[in-house]
Amino acid sequence: MSNIIGSKNVTDDDDLKYVVICQKGDTEAFAVLVERHQKKMFNIAFRMIGDYDEACDVTQEAFVAAYKSIKKFRAEAKFSTWLYR
């Protein structure tokens, strides 16, 4: 794990750093973003769906889609806004 990724307690300002690192191919940077946002993503999915297992699946699918599209992120909005959309 690279030095910049060592901390689990990142701030909103750090998201962009992790996105840029991830865009360069570092999957560990995306793992930090997942850890940072997974609880809120799950909560949103669960409120929308109302089923725990389906909310888990939707959350996982959302992160897979985000990972596949991470190179398209242009920082026109905060990463969390882009992700939750």
Side-chain angles (χ1 to χ4, degrees):
M1 187 179 283
S2 63
N3 290 337
I4 194 166
I5 302 173
S7 174
K8 292 182 182 180
N9 298 320
V10 295
T11 65
D12 286 338
D13 295 335
D14 290 330
D15 279 350
L16 184 57
K17 287 189 255 182
Y18 290 102
V19 168
V20 170
I21 294 167
C22 183
Q23 288 174 330
K24 294 178 182 179
D26 189 331
T27 57
E28 291 180 21
F30 192 75
V32 172
L33 292 168
V34 169
E35 185 174 324
R36 175 165 169 70
H37 296 280
Q38 67 185 348
K39 185 175 180 179
K40 185 171 181 179
M41 286 286 288
F42 173 80
N43 288 336
I44 292 169
F46 185 73
R47 278 185 263 137
M48 292 175 71
I49 297 168
D51 180 88
Y52 179 86
D53 291 329
E54 286 188 40
C56 288
D57 290 343
V58 166
T59 301
Q60 183 175 5
E61 290 171 13
F63 278 114
V64 169
Y67 181 75
K68 289 180 178 179
S69 300
I70 195 77
K71 291 188 179 193
K72 295 177 185 176
F73 179 73
R74 295 174 291 179
E76 294 172 350
K78 289 172 34 176
F79 173 74
S80 59
T81 303
W82 178 81
L83 178 65
Y84 301 144
R85 249 187 313 141

